Amino acid sequence: MDPEIWFTEKYGNNVGLTFKVKEILNTQISKYQRLDIIDTYEFGKVMLLDGLVMLTQKDEFVYHEMISAPAVMSLKNRNKALIIGGGDGGTARELTKYDFDKIIEVEIDEVVVENSKKFLDFTACGYNDKRVEIIIGDGVEFVKNTNEKFDLVIIDSTDPFGAAEGLFSGEFYSNVYNILNNDGIVVAQAENPYYNPDWFLKSRRNMQKAFGLNTLNYCAFIPTYPSGMWLFSIGYKNIDLHDYFNEELYKKNANSYKYYNSQIHKACFALPQFVLKLIK
Amino acid sequence: MDPEIWFTEKYGNNVGLTFKVKEILNTQISKYQRLDIIDTYEFGKVMLLDGLVMLTQKDEFVYHEMISAPAVMSLKNRNKALIIGGGDGGTARELTKYDFDKIIEVEIDEVVVENSKKFLDFTACGYNDKRVEIIIGDGVEFVKNTNEKFDLVIIDSTDPFGAAEGLFSGEFYSNVYNILNNDGIVVAQAENPYYNPDWFLKSRRNMQKAFGLNTLNYCAFIPTYPSGMWLFSIGYKNIDLHDYFNEELYKKNANSYKYYNSQIHKACFALPQFVLKLIK
């Protein structure tokens, strides 16, 4: 009998999600982190960074649809989009569904991009589109120095330490504000409120420093992320986020979604009472 | 150094939630199932039935508020409520917040009630209210034979096999229909759509046999239940569920909720696209 190999991601010290591994496809130490690509029985291919689940083939659709579609449906213009992080290509894949002229992705770690292209075609297919330009570099520096303006900025980062720490800071969001067009929108993954309320609050509060009252949070069910409840922070400039829903664009793309739909578009902003209390 | 003891609930064969155990407080084999009460580092007290997490002190509030509040706020009358299962007392606790005249709980396993009273005061406190009557017996038989009529029936059951199998059947729901008043509502826990879509569909379809188009589903984030996404089925007789929200009753109880609120009341009915596809 073959040995049973189980991977466990601990959420803090006292709880974790554990799942059975079919095969370890690759392990690589980059300048920034350790990357593992594993094949699993329940979730298909899984990418780990520093031992944390970044995506699984089974449920990545939730994260990637939900970090992009709610914002896209509220955009007045779709000229340029910027992705910070997102090296697996899943967020780029989602944005290529729409008629953006240009999608720039700034990923700090080329090892993530390379491994995604090699092992995770279901997300890396986002890179096949000619409108997608990958820049290997530091997102913090990029938003500080670029002269370009964007309609949409998506912060598709790891947790707020190590390489991604700067992506949760107030200064970063103030720079994001500056590179957004007047009716622009920023979305960031914002952790979970059950095990890591402080990380969530850091994301929200620092976005709020730049976007003030135009900062909201919404949520989605992601089984392989800690607690299964994932939050996103969304900031917007001189628009009312809930004032406009691009019905035509939605109808054109409705069949492509496995999670998002027009009801979820509104409902995802309803936060449980304990989360509202956290952000008061 | 003390040994580290971890409990793992497997969701199928290839994935599970694992957490660190402080102490095993009690283990008992009843006529129906094995019960364990454990104390844990992350979740406080936990009740297991046949090795499955029934509730944890940390997140039981989500389940118990969400199996009751959305229905209660849509009720025109609050005379009699019936709970099938719910031996830990948490659902009874929630219902005692409101002005029901009578709350009957039919729990098949008295060992669950006894252990809850002994170890889980945070849920068993529901039993302190004189309006709550506990009947130790089979819920399937009770709904078949009772002459009483109810405004609300809550099916707070374990998974659809063993003692709870009958609580997922079409015949059972047809009897529930018969004991509901004209403007009555039934709610049932309905499993999760990621790992057990068949169990969810069984709950929904059999409720639908009795309640037809007046059958809906809604969802809540429960970290210690499989996938973290939990579904409920709700059926209603001669009313429009979304037509009436008891604002006054909500305001009176709003401070008591940690999860439920008036936004969640509507938003919880928005289902991800893959769930809508399942139920089509």
Side-chain angles (χ1 to χ4, degrees), chain B residues 144-163:
Chain B
K144 200 198 289 188
N145 300 322
T146 184
N147 294 316
E148 296 190 79
K149 293 272 187 181
F150 297 88
D151 300 301
L152 174 64
V153 176
I154 295 182
I155 322 298
D156 181 1
S157 75
T158 52
D159 293 333
F161 47 80

Side-chain angles (χ1 to χ4, degrees), chain A residues 45-255:
Chain A
K45 306 267 172 51
V46 175
M47 183 171 79
L48 308 176
L49 292 180
D50 288 336
L52 306 177
V53 172
M54 291 298 112
L55 69 87
T56 88
Q57 196 168 0
K58 184 171 177 175
D59 69 354
E60 57 82 14
F61 70 94
V62 185
Y63 178 81
H64 290 123
E65 289 180 14
M66 288 304 287
I67 204 169
S68 54
V72 171
M73 291 305 154
S74 305
L75 283 179
K76 298 267 166 71
N77 295 293
R78 293 182 301 282
N79 299 319
K80 279 194 200 167
L82 172 66
I83 301 165
I84 304 291
D88 54 69
T91 300
R93 177 197 69 202
E94 290 301 311
L95 292 188
T96 58
K97 289 178 178 176
Y98 314 105
D99 55 352
F100 288 97
D101 298 323
K102 185 86 198 149
I103 299 158
I104 296 180
E105 175 177 305
V106 182
E107 163 62 52
I108 202 165
D109 194 346
E110 61 185 332
V111 168
V112 175
V113 176
E114 284 162 10
N115 275 272
S116 302
K117 284 183 175 171
K118 193 161 172 194
F119 297 105
L120 311 173
D121 56 334
F122 50 94
T123 52
C125 58
Y127 296 134
N128 298 339
D129 192 294
K130 280 183 182 161
R131 294 169 299 160
V132 178
E133 179 192 347
I134 309 181
I135 297 172
I136 300 299
D138 184 349
V140 172
E141 291 301 311
F142 183 87
V143 301
K144 200 198 290 184
N145 300 322
T146 183
N147 295 316
E148 297 191 79
K149 293 272 186 182
F150 297 89
D151 300 301
L152 174 64
V153 176
I154 295 182
I155 322 296
D156 181 2
S157 75
T158 51
D159 294 334
F161 47 79
E165 195 168 352
L167 302 178
F168 283 73
S169 75
E171 195 198 339
F172 172 72
Y173 279 116
S174 142
N175 290 328
V176 168
Y177 188 91
N178 292 333
I179 63 166
L180 275 176
N181 285 323
N182 245 331
D183 49 8
I185 299 176
V186 58
V187 184
Q189 77 82 2
E191 306 292 332
N192 81 83
Y194 283 101
Y195 303 130
N196 301 102
D198 290 348
W199 293 357
F200 158 59
L201 287 174
K202 192 172 182 184
S203 157
R204 179 185 166 85
R205 288 191 181 136
N206 283 326
M207 188 184 281
Q208 224 167 6
K209 281 180 194 162
F211 290 85
L213 289 173
N214 288 359
T215 308
L216 292 172
N217 292 99
Y218 63 91
C219 52
F221 292 97
I222 307 182
T224 60
Y225 280 5
S227 88
M229 175 173 185
W230 212 250
L231 287 160
F232 299 87
S233 295
I234 186 164
Y236 43 102
K237 281 180 93 166
N238 303 311
I239 56 163
D240 176 352
L241 190 75
H242 291 311
D243 182 45
Y244 177 65
F245 174 71
N246 193 332
E247 194 83 38
E248 198 192 340
L249 188 66
Y250 173 68
K251 281 186 180 153
K252 204 185 275 183
N253 290 282
N255 286 332

Side-chain angles (χ1 to χ4, degrees), chain A residues 16 18 20 258-259 273-274, chain B residues 14 16 18 258-259 273-274:
Chain A
T18 186
K20 204 170 157 188
K258 288 193 279 179
Y259 188 95
Q273 200 55 26
F274 78 98
Chain B
N14 302 317
T18 185
K258 287 193 280 179
Y259 188 95
Q273 201 54 25
F274 77 98

